[in-house]
Amino acid sequence: MGSVQIVTTILAAAITAVAVGLAVRAVMKMVAVIRLGQPAPERFTGKGARTRQMLVETAGHTRMLKWGVVGAAHWFVMVAFIVLSLLVLEAYFEVVTPGGGLPVIGHWTVFGLATEIIGVFGLLGILVLMAIRLGNRPTRPGGRSRFTGSTMWQGYFVEWVVLLVLIFGFLIRGFKVATDHFEYPVWAAPVSHALGNALPAWEAGVSVAALIKIIISMTWLIVISLNVTMGVAWHRFLAFPNIFFKREPEKPAGSGLGALRPMMSEGKPLDFEEADPEKDQFGVAQVEQFTWKGLLDFSTCTECGRCQSQCPAWNTGKPLSPKLLVLSLRDHAYAKAPYLLAGGGKDLTGEEKATEEQLAGVDVLALAEADRPLIGTAAEGGVIDPDVLWSCTTCGACVEQCPVDIEHVDHIVDMRRYQVLIESSFPSEAGVMLRNLENKGNPWGAPQNTREDWTKGLGFEVPRVGEVEDFEYLFWVGCAGAFEDRAKKTTRAVATLLNEAGVRFAILGEGETCTGDPARRIGNEFVFQMLAQQNVETLNEAFEGREKSKRKIVATCPHCFNTLGNEYGQLGGEFEVVHHTQLLAHLVATGKLTPVQPVDGGLTYHDPCYLGRHNRIFTPPREVLGSALGGAEITEMPRNSERSFCCGAGGARMWMEEKIGKRINVDRVEEAMSTGAKTIAVGCPFCSTMLNDGVNGKGAGEQVEVVDVASVLLRSVKPEAPAGDKEAEPVAG
């Protein structure tokens, strides 16, 4: 060992010792913070499925590759980071001696070939990612980007470290070639050999380059260890457990979509018959009341901004960014952690749990952080502004796009639950909707005895459950389908088509009440449970004696469809639920409905969030529309399928005023009208209302029509009955 190698060995050992010590401390702190969260025992079930899905999503990069070039580039960088970590380890042998290498595998030609290829593509990948970050920097001309609000220096730092580590990896190999210490042939490492032919035969070059590579790597580890909230770096380690512990591992895209997580206290679903607000947790009022998985979510966020780029609220000038919301919760949790770890915290009555002695040594900044309300205005020092909380439409775009499976919607609704149930703090206009649900069983406040008025004027009898026993489908009409004038046209069109196809169906009529979707998504779990339990009892009675496969429900509203099929199981209601577009697609495919008159004028389709993104139903409505178009193509909007843009009505936003920024429905209507299509087809009564209002607001009601998929099909199947019925009288109230 020469003098150079002695120096390089000592320096490498010293900086590594410092880095590892700091890293251990950082990991211990992160684990301690995450463990502050509430129990979530359900996250430990199905370990086999969880492991498989984690490997598929990480090794296969299934979420990232949807983004094309950036996904491919990220995959190569990820593989380079994992595999070429072995070359960082090898550098410790190379600082000791120029001919050093990894034991056992270090001399294998296949190892040299693999690392050469990964190194080249890793270099190309990181250069692509750096170019993309620079091209989308928030300060560029043209406005906000998905990186707006991200800590940009951290992103640049991480990317430059990766680039330099890869460069010095090739320099080490080049110096080994130049000094005849390289063990791989030219065909296995052509780039290294080419570089070596251009470098001088400097014997100490290998050890010096190896030392620099170690210094760069350990500097990275020191920096991230001193910044435990540096998600752009820590996600490399935290993504694996975060994906493993996702809510529903069998869902490849967005495990936090579909059903909402039940309201929990101490790791168990809350039973409202026995619940006590002084003993049981009602939603989330403090950051430590999120589950440990929630705190892991916040820690894992890589600040990529994909959620932000797809969020309808953010894209229309509202203060909600799912990314910034998560980052605010993350920063608050870690800033408050010293207080919590010392034993601090408020009990459910608001009393301090820690003694003065316990808090005596806590940093004043942590104590100040502990005094901040979780939800509050800037003047109140709130972590999350109320306008941020109530701007969410629960469309799920953030969850669907997140590459590390953060469950934004569950966290938002948990915070809403506390605000509604304990603080009674929510947009005032939504109060009317909640009172109507409690008193009338529907958000419009329409009389229950008018639920069957939509049947008037049809040329056939609509059977009721109880009057007939032999029905295949229970037709869940829904509140909009029973009371809202536009939606009643869809209800009549579906009934007409089912009758035309010979499908045996029945309705509940006045026995039906709201599924509770708007109450649950605004945060009023009590009203949801009240309505849901009533409906589950009614449906179980209607299907008495039938196994699940024969307890079939068809629904025209995706919100009803989602609640009945995904959430009523939490309350003992197990049903086979289909959306009307699925059933109609089947009837067309089997020849029971035959379109005869193609729809002309061009048609585009708007994917409802709760049908498409939340439940992955994209094809059936398009099949129905394709048949009605007589082979002509649907004109797709730029944002379609899983990236469809919200209409603005979900998350109970249908009953709240949209006072900030551009109206979401107007943004969507402008996109639809840009296709030149004369018909905008929808599969949801909320979407129909919002897009119709948007079209009328643009003064285009005479040029563009918004109509449900069922009505489009009916016009094609029975051209003489375009609406399927005569117009009903408007609903009072």
Side-chain angles (χ1 to χ4, degrees):
M1 182 186 292
S3 58
V4 171
Q5 283 72 36
I6 293 173
V7 172
T8 56
T9 301
I10 293 172
L11 291 176
I15 193 170
T16 301
V18 172
V20 170
L22 290 173
V24 169
R25 188 184 71 171
V27 170
M28 291 176 65
K29 179 177 181 180
M30 294 178 77
V31 170
V33 171
I34 291 167
R35 291 184 64 185
L36 288 168
Q38 299 302 303
E42 73 280 4
R43 305 286 180 167
F44 294 93
T45 60
K47 292 183 177 64
R50 292 182 181 280
T51 301
R52 285 192 299 274
Q53 189 57 40
M54 183 266 289
L55 292 174
V56 166
E57 284 194 33
T58 53
H61 247 45
T62 52
R63 308 292 289 277
M64 287 290 295
L65 286 176
K66 292 186 293 185
W67 288 83
V69 173
V70 66
H74 191 276
W75 186 85
F76 282 114
V77 172
M78 179 197 73
V79 172
F81 178 80
I82 295 172
V83 176
L84 299 187
S85 294
L86 290 172
L87 297 188
V88 175
L89 177 60
E90 187 174 53
Y92 286 94
F93 295 91
E94 292 161 340
V95 295
V96 177
T97 174
L102 283 175
V104 184
I105 64 173
H107 64 279
W108 290 356
T109 300
V110 66
F111 177 71
L113 174 63
T115 50
E116 185 86 355
I117 292 171
I118 292 170
V120 169
F121 281 99
L123 268 172
L124 294 174
I126 196 62
L127 288 171
V128 168
L129 295 182
M130 292 173 80
I132 289 172
R133 186 178 294 272
L134 287 169
N136 287 277
R137 64 193 186 281
T139 55
R140 81 197 194 291
R144 300 186 293 183
S145 80
R146 65 184 175 93
F147 291 118
T148 299
S150 298
T151 313
M152 294 301 287
W153 76 262
Q154 295 179 352
Y156 294 138
F157 171 76
V158 168
E159 287 167 348
W160 272 103
V161 165
V162 173
L163 178 64
L164 291 173
V165 166
L166 289 169
I167 288 173
F168 275 90
F170 278 110
L171 281 174
I172 293 170
R173 288 185 160 197
F175 279 119
K176 279 190 169 184
V177 170
T179 55
D180 202 26
H181 290 299
F182 200 49
E183 53 267 82
Y184 309 123
V186 175
W187 66 265
V191 175
S192 298
H193 276 276
L195 184 60
N197 292 333
L199 290 174
W202 181 28
E203 191 74 18
V206 174
S207 297
V208 171
L211 173 63
I212 295 173
K213 182 177 181 178
I214 290 170
I215 289 173
I216 293 170
S217 301
M218 292 303 106
T219 299
W220 174 80
L221 188 56
I222 290 169
V223 170
I224 73 167
S225 298
L226 295 174
N227 293 273
V228 290
T229 59
M230 194 172 174
V232 70
W234 282 107
H235 84 279
R236 296 168 180 231
F237 310 106
L238 297 178
F240 297 97
N242 206 55
I243 294 170
F244 179 87
F245 289 115
K246 67 195 295 187
R247 176 148 63 88
E248 296 180 71
E250 67 278 6
K251 283 189 176 182
S255 105
L257 296 174
L260 275 175
R261 186 171 177 271
M263 196 162 159
M264 310 287 280
S265 180
E266 293 296 325
K268 298 177 182 178
L270 197 66
D271 183 351
F272 276 95
E273 292 185 3
E274 300 178 359
D276 181 351
E278 294 189 0
K279 298 178 181 178
D280 298 299
Q281 182 177 314
F282 278 54
V284 169
Q286 304 288 335
V287 72
E288 65 272 19
Q289 291 178 345
F290 287 106
T291 66
W292 62 261
K293 174 57 169 64
L295 296 177
L296 178 60
D297 270 358
F298 309 152
S299 302
T300 307
C301 179
T302 182
E303 305 188 24
C304 67
R306 301 192 186 287
C307 56
Q308 182 171 287
S309 70
Q310 301 296 301
C311 177
W314 178 261
N315 277 287
T316 52
K318 296 167 182 63
L320 168 63
S321 156
K323 177 187 72 177
L324 298 181
L325 178 139
V326 165
L327 297 187
S328 295
L329 293 171
R330 178 197 69 189
D331 293 346
H332 173 59
Y334 281 89
K336 187 178 180 181
Y339 159 78
L340 296 171
L341 293 171
K346 302 290 196 300
D347 63 21
L348 295 174
T349 63
E351 295 297 319
E352 176 60 57
K353 293 187 289 187
T355 63
E356 290 186 13
E357 291 77 12
Q358 286 177 295
L359 300 180
V362 177
D363 184 82
V364 65
L365 294 177
L367 293 174
E369 194 73 27
D371 285 336
R372 297 179 65 192
L374 190 66
I375 306 299
T377 63
E380 296 166 335
V383 179
I384 304 297
D385 191 277
D387 285 335
V388 169
L389 186 68
W390 298 109
S391 291
C392 180
T393 66
T394 68
C395 72
C398 49
V399 178
E400 196 275 336
Q401 287 296 310
C402 181
V404 293
D405 279 305
I406 293 171
E407 297 159 8
H408 313 71
V409 173
D410 281 345
H411 304 321
I412 288 171
V413 172
D414 270 340
M415 289 186 285
R416 285 182 170 187
R417 284 166 169 166
Y418 181 83
Q419 294 300 304
V420 172
L421 294 172
I422 303 300
E423 297 291 339
S424 296
S425 177
F426 52 88
S428 58
E429 60 270 21
V432 176
M433 177 269 291
L434 290 173
R435 286 193 295 274
N436 286 336
L437 286 177
E438 289 190 74
N439 300 326
K440 299 287 188 177
N442 69 85
W444 281 275
Q448 184 72 355
N449 61 10
T450 63
R451 268 197 181 269
E452 299 180 37
D453 284 2
W454 64 269
T455 62
K456 297 175 182 178
L458 292 175
F460 57 91
E461 189 71 23
V462 177
R464 279 80 174 162
V465 172
E467 298 176 359
V468 292
E469 295 295 330
D470 186 26
F471 63 91
E472 183 180 4
Y473 287 95
L474 189 152
F475 181 15
W476 185 272
V477 177
C479 299
F483 301 123
E484 204 274 328
D485 289 331
R486 297 186 190 97
K488 282 195 281 188
K489 294 181 181 180
T490 300
T491 307
R492 291 191 285 267
V494 170
T496 302
L497 289 165
L498 295 182
N499 182 70
E500 182 77 11
V503 175
R504 303 186 312 278
F505 72 96
I507 63 171
L508 288 172
E510 293 183 27
E512 183 180 303
T513 191
C514 180
T515 61
D517 164 84
R520 187 169 228 198
R521 267 120 192 111
I522 202 174
N524 197 325
E525 186 75 3
F526 177 79
V527 170
F528 165 74
Q529 297 262 354
M530 178 185 72
L531 295 168
Q533 287 172 355
Q534 178 182 335
N535 282 325
V536 166
E537 185 177 332
T538 300
L539 289 168
N540 283 339
E541 184 178 337
F543 288 121
E544 188 174 3
R546 299 192 189 190
E547 61 268 27
K548 182 180 176 181
S549 63
K550 294 184 179 179
R551 296 156 67 93
K552 296 181 180 179
I553 299 174
V554 58
T556 57
C557 174
H559 297 263
C560 296
F561 164 77
N562 179 70
T563 304
L564 291 166
N566 294 330
E567 297 185 337
Y568 274 18
Q570 300 169 1
L571 300 169
E574 297 289 340
F575 314 109
E576 292 287 342
V577 188
V578 298
H579 189 251
H580 72 285
T581 59
Q582 293 176 291
L583 181 54
L584 295 179
H586 171 72
L587 296 175
V588 171
T590 55
K592 294 181 179 179
L593 290 174
T594 305
V596 294
Q597 179 66 53
V599 176
D600 57 14
L603 180 146
T604 190
Y605 173 63
H606 164 78
D607 288 274
C609 299
Y610 273 83
L611 183 65
R613 192 155 39 237
H614 277 277
N615 286 284
R616 315 304 294 175
I617 297 172
F618 305 116
T619 303
R622 287 175 168 80
E623 290 177 341
V624 174
L625 295 172
S627 68
L629 287 171
E633 292 289 326
I634 296 173
T635 306
E636 294 283 8
M637 287 181 252
R639 295 176 290 191
N640 64 77
S641 301
E642 66 268 12
R643 294 189 192 173
S644 178
F645 196 70
C646 184
C647 74
R653 288 293 322 174
M654 179 91 166
W655 291 275
M656 299 183 223
E657 293 296 328
E658 196 169 348
K659 302 172 183 176
I660 305 172
K662 184 179 183 180
R663 293 183 66 86
I664 294 172
N665 62 331
V666 171
D667 191 293
R668 186 56 165 168
V669 162
E670 289 174 352
E671 183 176 5
M673 291 175 62
S674 71
T675 66
K678 301 302 180 186
T679 301
I680 304 173
V682 297
C684 171
F686 289 4
C687 296
S688 176
T689 296
M690 299 300 284
L691 298 188
N692 263 299
D693 289 351
V695 166
N696 293 332
K698 299 290 291 184
E702 297 298 320
Q703 295 81 40
V704 179
E705 182 183 21
V706 179
V707 63
D708 189 87
V709 171
S711 295
V712 174
L713 179 62
L714 181 61
R715 293 176 186 181
S716 182
V717 171
K718 300 183 70 173
E720 74 281 0
D725 62 274
K726 62 185 182 182
E727 190 69 49
E729 293 297 319
V731 176

